[in-house]
Amino acid sequence: MKRIAIFASGNGSNAENLIAQLGEKEGCSFPIIVCDNLKAGVWERAKKLGVRCVHFSRTELAEGGAVCELLKKEGIDLIVLAGFLGKISGPLLEQFGGHIVNIHPAFYLNLEARGCMGTMCMRRCLLTTNAFRV
């Protein structure tokens, strides 16, 4: 089973849909959501879904050490950026390079992935290709 961490900054609808659509039936578990915004709606959605949500400031995310330690402790295989507005750099890229997926629609246009939106795109990425991995 793939253990996936979702990074979110806003309302959390993408995170909620990923968990609902790709959960155990696709061999995925979502043990943690990382959020850089204490006022984001994703906190309430995570609580409703029973998924742990953890805050890291943008500085902590840029430094990466504490975030990487937590993700390693959780046995995370893949990071999904689901409406995440922070910057991914340094240790996160070193530890998870090739295992970060951005599901922001602007990213799709660069890859000419016609008809590939939201959970359909995530499912395609998880099951068939590395084209969407950072």
Side-chain angles (χ1 to χ4, degrees):
M1 180 164 297
K2 285 198 182 286
R3 293 180 58 82
I4 301 170
I6 297 174
F7 282 38
S9 296
N11 187 31
S13 59
N14 287 325
E16 183 176 34
N17 286 325
L18 285 169
I19 293 166
Q21 297 295 318
L22 296 177
E24 291 182 13
K25 62 186 170 193
E26 295 288 346
C28 302
S29 69
F30 297 88
I32 193 162
I33 296 173
V34 173
C35 184
D36 60 349
N37 178 0
L38 289 170
K39 296 180 181 178
V42 72
W43 290 92
E44 195 59 39
R45 290 181 193 260
K47 183 178 178 181
K48 181 177 86 174
L49 293 164
V51 176
R52 181 175 168 212
C53 195
V54 179
H55 176 261
F56 286 99
S57 69
R58 296 218 170 154
T59 301
E60 290 170 315
L61 286 161
E63 291 169 355
V67 181
C68 285
E69 185 177 312
L70 173 66
L71 297 177
K72 186 175 181 178
K73 179 182 168 190
E74 291 288 338
I76 297 301
D77 301 305
L78 182 69
I79 296 171
V80 176
L81 307 178
F84 183 69
L85 302 177
K87 183 178 178 182
I88 301 295
S89 61
L92 274 171
L93 286 175
E94 290 170 18
Q95 186 169 333
F96 290 95
H99 300 277
I100 301 172
V101 179
N102 182 7
I103 62 167
H104 190 281
F107 188 65
Y108 303 152
L109 299 176
N110 292 337
L111 296 171
E112 299 179 19
R114 220 168 246 258
C116 185
M117 297 298 288
T119 56
M120 179 182 13
C121 181
M122 183 63 186
R123 181 177 286 115
R124 189 180 297 172
C125 174
L126 283 171
L127 301 176
T128 63
T129 181
N130 288 331
F132 292 93
R133 295 192 181 181
V134 175

